[in-house]
Amino acid sequence: MEPKTIKKIGVLTSGGDSPGMNAAIRAAVRAGFYYNLEMYGIYRGYEGMIQNDIKKLDSKNITHVLERGGTFLKSARSAEFRTPEGRQKAYDNLKSHGIDALVVIGGDGSLTGAHLFYKEFGVPAIGLPGTIDNDLSGTDSTIGFDTACNTAIEAIDKIRDTATSHDRLFFVEVMGRDAGFIAINAGIGSAAAAILIPEKKMPIEELVDKLKVRSKAKKSSNIVIVAEGGKSGGAAEIAEKVKKFLPTYDIKVTILGHLQRGGAPSSYDRLLSSKLGVAAIEGLIQGKYDVMAGLINHKVVYTPIKRAIVDDKTLDEDDFRVAKILST
Ligand code: ATP
């Protein structure tokens, strides 16, 4: 398609926040200024677009945000944007500011919204994968995933100290929604005894046998990583089931929860967000619409949003193999 002339770009963050969103906003805004564009912040995601919570940004708005977790534009979930009337209101507000194009930073839901909006109103949009879950295709890693894994590992290291001191068995639940990416990364990185993920069911009996073998080998601490959204239940449920088989074990449960969403972005997330923020603006200038910018093998790749949101990103089989070898 012939690129449209774009002068004003709106940036928003939507859905769950993730570390690196600020760095991505900052990179998009800086790149916009570099290409002599006017940049607008749309606050509180699509909800702010409907409420007309839209402000022109200058360089002061993006000073010292790169290193901060969260999103200074705030994020939200908007039920109204799911309705044609809500999207019409959002479109009218964009037009009132003369905004010609959008950079949408969020997860699959937020990108679905951008895709629909492009189809209905022809507003050029580029999505950036902003979610700790790493469950979007078209990018090796999503913005915030690396930081969330680092945060989980740091927390598990601390849990290991107490687990070792008391010969305890810990079940640690990590985030990731229906995907086991954080669990497998954090599990390998923290020498977990077992990793339970939604993608591969491990029967309780198998887990119990594994723990018994480790007990015979006199392992002084056992940490089992459980991905939220697992088919056998969360960490608390699994711990209950295991307790029935191993009544003498001192079993504890820790749910890491929202601390995995916060914190300063890692070096990798800063690089990823910065490259993708620039790629978003350059993509819009080149007429790449209705796509998500991602990084594959360190190179920017634009994938149609419709393709990126298909829930088919799979865990690397080699990760399973390595996890298995290292936990025996
Ligand atoms: P996370 O992965 O962190 O949950 P997300 O972007 O997937 O992030 P959602 O709550 O699914 O989070 O979506 C964010 C917002 O995007 C929704 O509140 C809604 O405003 C918009 N959205 C999601 N799906 C649609 C849809 N099918 N049509 C229109 N808008 C949508």
Side-chain angles (χ1 to χ4, degrees):
M1 153 173 326
E2 268 302 293
K4 296 187 183 184
T5 305
I6 290 174
K7 293 192 176 128
K8 299 183 182 187
I9 298 180
V11 184
L12 65 92
T13 47
S14 164
D17 64 312
S18 67
M21 279 184 162
N22 272 328
I25 301 165
R26 177 246 183 198
V29 173
R30 276 235 167 284
F33 292 158
Y34 180 84
Y35 289 109
N36 296 316
L37 301 169
E38 281 183 36
M39 299 300 294
Y40 287 76
I42 301 168
Y43 289 76
R44 295 179 296 111
Y46 293 121
E47 194 56 27
M49 219 197 267
I50 292 171
Q51 308 280 338
N52 206 10
D53 196 357
I54 301 172
K55 293 183 188 80
K56 194 172 169 196
L57 298 173
D58 61 34
S59 57
K60 279 204 257 8
N61 295 108
I62 50 159
T63 303
H64 292 309
V65 301
L66 178 144
E67 67 274 27
R68 281 170 35 206
T71 158
F72 82 90
L73 289 179
K74 312 259 184 195
S75 191
R77 301 189 199 267
S78 170
E80 205 179 344
F81 193 78
R82 291 175 184 271
T83 67
E85 299 76 28
R87 292 196 291 276
Q88 182 65 53
K89 263 197 229 169
Y91 176 72
D92 293 342
N93 287 332
L94 280 192
K95 284 295 110 185
S96 72
H97 291 275
I99 293 172
D100 321 287
L102 290 174
V103 176
V104 173
I105 308 166
D108 56 345
S110 304
L111 300 194
T112 305
H115 169 67
L116 263 182
F117 205 61
Y118 175 69
K119 268 188 27 190
E120 287 175 356
F121 301 101
V123 177
I126 283 205
L128 297 185
T131 167
I132 63 167
D133 302 336
N134 200 26
D135 57 352
L136 283 163
S137 297
T139 191
D140 290 336
S141 183
T142 54
I143 293 169
F145 169 65
D146 184 64
T147 308
C149 290
N150 286 333
T151 302
I153 284 171
E154 208 184 311
I156 298 163
D157 285 348
K158 289 176 179 158
I159 290 168
R160 168 132 1 237
D161 291 344
T162 172
T164 311
S165 305
H166 292 272
D167 288 340
R168 279 177 176 148
L169 166 58
F170 263 91
F171 287 84
V172 181
E173 186 175 305
V174 299
M175 279 185 162
R177 202 97 66 91
D178 302 324
F181 293 101
I182 296 179
I184 199 104
N185 270 261
I188 292 174
S190 63
I195 307 168
L196 306 186
I197 50 173
E199 293 86 344
K200 269 199 176 47
K201 200 171 159 122
M202 184 189 287
I204 291 294
E205 293 76 10
E206 190 183 324
L207 173 61
V208 169
D209 286 346
K210 204 172 171 39
L211 293 169
K212 281 182 182 163
V213 170
R214 285 176 65 91
S215 171
K216 280 206 186 100
K218 301 260 179 281
K219 301 269 184 195
S220 63
S221 66
N222 277 308
I223 292 182
V224 176
I225 305 297
V226 183
E228 67 173 349
K231 292 174 189 78
S232 319
E237 273 174 271
I238 308 242
E240 271 308 306
K241 288 180 194 161
V242 168
K243 186 127 192 95
K244 292 201 178 101
F245 290 91
L246 304 170
T248 58
Y249 276 50
D250 185 5
I251 296 180
K252 301 283 178 212
V253 175
T254 301
I255 296 169
L256 295 185
H258 281 80
L259 73 86
Q260 293 159 96
R261 282 195 188 277
S266 65
S267 150
Y268 180 77
D269 273 328
R270 292 181 196 205
L271 181 72
L272 176 69
S273 307
S274 300
K275 288 186 91 151
L276 296 187
V278 172
I281 300 305
E282 291 183 337
L284 286 171
I285 292 169
Q286 291 159 16
K288 295 187 171 80
Y289 308 149
D290 199 19
V291 293
M292 185 197 84
L295 219 54
I296 298 179
N297 290 331
H298 308 290
K299 293 271 171 274
V300 170
V301 175
Y302 297 93
T303 302
I305 288 181
K306 255 180 99 171
R307 177 71 200 85
I309 58 175
V310 175
D311 186 16
D312 65 351
K313 189 174 190 178
T314 51
L315 288 167
D316 189 342
E317 279 298 322
D318 202 45
D319 289 357
F320 291 122
R321 202 179 60 79
V322 167
K324 198 168 169 196
I325 291 171
L326 297 180
S327 64
T328 40

